[in-house]
Amino acid sequence: MKTNLPAKWISVLFATALLASCATQSRVASDQSALPVWPSPPDQPRIAYVRSVHMPRDIGQSLSVFTRIGHWITGENSSSQALQKPFGLAVDESGNLCVTDTGSKLVCFLDFKNKKWRRYAAVGKTAFDSPVAVARHNGIFYVADSGLGEVLVFGNNGKPIFTITQPLLRPVGLAIAGDSLAVVDSQSHAVYVFDLSGKFLFKFGKRGTGPGEFNFPTHISADSNSHWLVTDSLNARIQIFSKDGHFVSQFGSSGDTSGHFGRPKGVAVDSSGHIYVADAVFDNVQIFDATGQLLLNFGQSGDGAGEFSLPNGIAIASDNTIYVADGYNHRVQIFKYLGGQ
């Protein structure tokens, strides 16, 4: 028997959707009202807060009437689509944002231009356990899952292409430079480098405190010269290597003042060569020049615009848009580098 929803139910649904839309606009407007910058006036600003994203509607994705009716009937709501604990970030060559959400065991793909937010809970029949790092190149996703001990590689349709298992133990960081994929393995205290088809090429690093040695490394990124920048977490420093894995330089040490690190996490480089490091103890991002000299820091503990609670991954697009995974605030915050030294 065909059953039609009563007209009054549909009216309630539309009213609810309208109120939700107004609430979103109010929240975004409130977020935008302060627009903090760093450094504060009267100094010339170098970093500006732009906005934050928490769920699909924050990038303009709208649901059809029938999808909303379906959600209303099943009890599903927009909060079920929201980020729980964003962790790893990457920006692809088209400026799209990839987010690993360890709270929901998902990988999210944010297509800003087309206002689409896609979510992947599995690759083929393999469900994510602890997706902590991601990279995307030419439409191919590479995801490091520390729980599975694998790097899963798949296409837009979620179907597996291949999986990297050996010699990995606990992969936690990923970066692509040219035709090379670097995988940080915290349990091996090393970085393994593969080609983009998964063929092992070489490794660098071992446990220790000397140059080129690691103590539970976590994050990695690549600069425009294909240098690898590795967060050497428990040694409280950033180490820089050539594309073939030779040690180049290092900076940072443990401490509780600016220029030192409490718990360094994500690392990224802007178009001017400035190095950004998120710190989960300081709840901020510090910016260094190529020699490791501190230039600026932004952020503090809290849940307001430009404030953080356990920041993790950081990624910077080619236009110097900065994305920071604000883990316990369940969002990704977006900033802009405005130029200057």
Side-chain angles (χ1 to χ4, degrees), residues 3 7 17 21 26 60 66 68 86 136 140 145 161 165 191 206 211 227 234 238 248-249 256 263 267 270 277 320 323:
T3 303
S21 175
S26 174
F66 296 106
R68 294 182 186 185
R136 187 174 188 266
I140 305 298
D145 191 304
I161 298 175
T165 57
V191 177
K206 63 179 181 178
H227 289 122
L234 293 191
I238 301 297
V248 174
S249 63
D256 57 5
R263 193 187 305 164
V267 59
D270 68 22
V277 184
N320 289 324
Y323 301 92

Side-chain angles (χ1 to χ4, degrees), residues 209-261:
T209 59
E213 298 175 340
F214 300 114
N215 192 9
F216 291 97
T218 54
H219 298 70
I220 188 170
S221 67
D223 67 12
S224 59
N225 296 314
S226 295
H227 289 122
W228 305 114
L229 291 87
V230 183
T231 302
D232 187 8
S233 186
L234 293 191
N235 282 330
R237 62 186 178 183
I238 301 297
Q239 295 200 66
I240 303 174
F241 299 83
S242 65
K243 187 178 180 180
D244 55 4
H246 292 117
F247 174 81
V248 174
S249 63
Q250 65 182 35
F251 66 89
S253 60
S254 181
D256 57 5
T257 58
S258 294
H260 296 85
F261 295 124

